[in-house]
Amino acid sequence: MDKVLSISIGEIALKGKNRKYFEDKLISRMKKAIKGLDYTKIYKEQGKMYIEGAEDNFEPMIDKLRKVFGLVYISPCIRVEKNLEEIEKAIIKVMEERQSKNPVKTFKVKTNRVDKNFPIKSPEVSKKMGGVILRNVEGLKVDIHNPETYVFIDIKENAYIYTERIEGYGGLPVGTNGKGLLLLSGGIDSPVAGFLMAKRGVEISGIHFHSYPFTSQRAEDKVKKLAEILSIYTGKIKLYGINILEIQKELNAKCPEDEMTILSRRFMMRIAEKIALDNDIDALITGESLGQVASQTIQGLSVTNAAVDIPILRPLIGLDKVEIIEVAKEIETYETSILPYDDCCTLFLPKHPVIKPKLADIEKSEEAIDVEKLIEKAIANVEVYNIR
Ligand code: ATP
Ligand code: MG
């Protein structure tokens, strides 16, 4: 009778021919997450993954594994040989432990007979084992419609018995869907955007624009802190820091005041695109959400897009602020995001920004400045941080 963690992999199980690729990535992500915690092995068995190791480490392991994308739920189980005698002993133990930790009054046994050679059919196993529980563990009743807990029996090469399902985030393992460069400000939205794209398997790098010394070192530290929290989910993040003070000064001196925001956003995109292409990154990611601020109108987004050729992913585009904040709280970036430090975008902020910019007007304004040279200069002074 051994204790193991079982891991259910949801969407990856549907991957057909590519399944092995996704599974291998997931295993490598899981290994990274539980590095330093003692375990003996990770193995696959008919649609799920299992970790063998010291039971004492299960709790910290679950805490880390929950944050690995691709993982739908985790269950601490007892693994036994698949015969009724062993299953019977295991199910009594599972229920006794359950009752001492997190007691329930009602249960229902659910058997999944994956190994069709097992001679007894699922409903029959459930019925027998329900009886075993009723006879051996006190204070329990069966409730087939609305049980407080299910008692699961998976019959495969071995039999696995468990009651708990601890939810992960699902999604796909980071690294299975290309690379993205996240435009990371110090705000609430961009860390959430990075989280959501990483959840779809995108490997994340970050880029942050600042106007030091007009913006403070503390504002920089805040962005690094956000990247650090994000890296718990995404794995290590390479963060590029770019000073755009000179660009902002130039725009402020030579372009219409009400276009400042859209003009600086076009610079951010161009710089980000260059960094992305130089580093084999396939797309940019922003925390923009339609209509949230003046620059995030369809016209504003179109004029921003027109500055670059690289795809721009905007996973928050259809979310309300309340929904974004909910995720920010869940992933624990919120408290850091709301710290009141300065941001480069508030510098030279126009009083009345253009809400429906026209590309022709914006391109005309840009004729007054040397776009290429400003970009080159900004990139020449890039700072690179390895966040983990
Ligand atoms: P956030 O909460 O992410 O700061 P926001 O609601 O403040 O977003 P904007 O300031 O218009 O909205 O920024 C929209 C997006 O542009 C951000 O989500 C981010 O992806 C990018 N961005 C804005 N400022 C910066 C910056 N200083 N460095 C890097 N990216 C930025
Ligand atoms: Mg912002």
Side-chain angles (χ1 to χ4, degrees):
M1 208 185 276
D2 297 306
K3 297 268 175 97
V4 295
L5 288 178
S6 89
I7 284 154
S8 169
I9 54 178
E11 207 173 321
I12 297 174
L14 307 172
K15 286 289 171 196
K17 277 193 202 140
N18 289 327
R19 178 168 172 162
K20 187 164 176 347
Y21 168 72
F22 283 90
E23 285 181 345
D24 289 349
K25 275 274 186 205
L26 180 64
I27 290 179
S28 115
R29 288 285 160 193
M30 283 172 19
K31 283 183 176 164
K32 278 189 186 135
I34 57 176
K35 208 167 134 188
L37 292 166
D38 206 21
Y39 64 93
T40 39
K41 77 172 180 192
I42 300 184
Y43 64 95
K44 297 185 235 177
E45 192 179 303
Q46 293 162 306
K48 284 193 186 180
M49 299 199 182
Y50 295 89
I51 303 180
E52 264 177 23
E55 196 188 349
D56 288 351
N57 279 330
F58 281 3
E59 239 182 77
M61 271 192 208
I62 289 170
D63 192 49
K64 297 258 194 276
L65 290 168
R66 268 194 68 232
K67 294 167 184 159
V68 175
F69 296 130
L71 210 148
V72 178
Y73 48 80
I74 312 168
S75 303
C77 339
I78 291 186
R79 178 186 63 193
V80 289
E81 272 178 42
K82 55 180 160 193
N83 61 62
L84 284 184
E85 222 171 284
E86 289 294 313
I87 295 173
E88 187 171 324
K89 279 189 242 163
I91 209 161
I92 295 171
K93 187 155 167 64
V94 163
M95 279 320 276
E96 281 171 347
E97 283 183 4
R98 173 67 196 239
Q99 291 306 76
S100 67
K101 250 176 51 191
N102 181 10
V104 290
K105 292 204 174 69
T106 60
F107 72 96
K108 176 181 177 179
V109 179
K110 226 179 186 176
T111 305
N112 183 10
R113 190 177 58 127
V114 181
D115 174 8
K116 299 297 177 205
N117 290 323
F118 190 74
I120 308 158
K121 294 212 163 115
S122 299
E124 189 66 18
V125 176
S126 297
K127 212 170 135 195
K128 274 189 195 302
M129 291 304 142
V132 167
I133 293 173
L134 291 174
R135 286 194 298 277
N136 290 279
V137 190
E138 271 184 24
L140 281 167
K141 276 202 299 222
V142 173
D143 183 342
I144 50 168
H145 299 297
N146 196 16
E148 276 177 68
T149 189
Y150 284 98
V151 186
F152 299 97
I153 306 175
D154 293 348
I155 301 175
K156 308 167 139 188
E157 266 164 64
N158 296 282
Y160 297 89
I161 296 100
Y162 53 98
T163 64
E164 268 182 293
R165 279 180 166 182
I166 298 141
E167 277 185 36
Y169 290 107
L172 297 167
V174 170
T176 55
N177 253 331
K179 298 182 186 171
L181 181 60
L182 172 66
L183 279 78
L184 186 61
S185 66
I188 295 169
D189 304 330
S190 40
V192 173
F195 171 84
L196 291 177
M197 289 325 301
K199 181 154 116 72
R200 295 309 302 164
V202 179
E203 189 179 315
I204 304 289
S205 303
I207 184 166
H208 173 65
F209 300 95
H210 62 85
S211 320
Y212 187 80
F214 278 69
T215 52
S216 66
Q217 181 57 45
R218 286 209 305 179
E220 281 282 285
D221 293 343
K222 174 183 170 183
V223 172
K224 285 186 208 160
K225 176 75 195 165
L226 286 172
E228 205 180 299
I229 302 171
L230 199 55
S231 74
I232 296 171
Y233 306 90
T234 63
K236 61 181 190 299
I237 294 179
K238 199 168 197 179
L239 180 65
Y240 301 89
I242 301 268
N243 192 323
I244 54 165
L245 182 57
E246 197 166 326
I247 295 173
Q248 290 177 306
K249 281 183 175 166
E250 188 77 357
L251 290 174
N252 192 49
K254 300 189 178 154
C255 301
E257 194 227 0
D258 63 347
E259 293 173 359
M260 273 301 289
T261 310
I262 187 84
L263 287 166
S264 37
R265 298 197 63 70
R266 279 165 61 88
F267 268 96
M268 286 187 190
M269 294 299 169
R270 290 183 179 114
I271 293 168
E273 180 183 50
K274 273 216 155 58
I275 301 262
L277 296 180
D278 283 348
N279 291 281
D280 274 328
I281 296 172
D282 317 291
L284 307 182
I285 302 166
T286 76
E288 288 159 310
S289 151
L290 195 65
Q292 197 188 85
V293 292
S295 61
Q296 295 173 17
T297 57
I298 291 181
Q299 294 82 357
L301 297 177
S302 307
V303 173
T304 309
N305 284 353
V308 291
D309 294 320
I310 196 169
I312 304 173
L313 307 178
R314 298 181 167 98
L316 310 187
I317 198 71
L319 297 190
D320 295 347
K321 196 75 187 187
V322 187
E323 294 169 309
I324 299 169
I325 288 174
E326 211 172 284
V327 183
K329 286 185 174 162
E330 164 67 28
I331 66 174
E332 295 183 4
T333 50
Y334 183 74
E335 294 301 324
T336 304
S337 287
I338 58 173
L339 294 174
Y341 297 139
D342 39 307
D343 173 40
C344 71
C345 293
T346 48
L347 206 64
F348 309 113
L349 195 68
K351 275 190 216 73
H352 303 287
V354 276
I355 290 171
K356 295 183 178 178
K358 291 210 173 65
L359 184 58
D361 299 342
I362 299 296
E363 283 177 340
K364 184 122 193 50
S365 305
E366 283 173 350
E367 282 170 15
I369 54 178
D370 191 339
V371 173
E372 282 311 311
K373 198 162 149 219
L374 284 166
I375 290 175
E376 249 171 58
K377 269 178 98 176
I379 291 183
N381 294 317
V382 63
E383 306 129 73
V384 185
Y385 309 99
N386 286 305
I387 310 280
R388 61 187 71 219

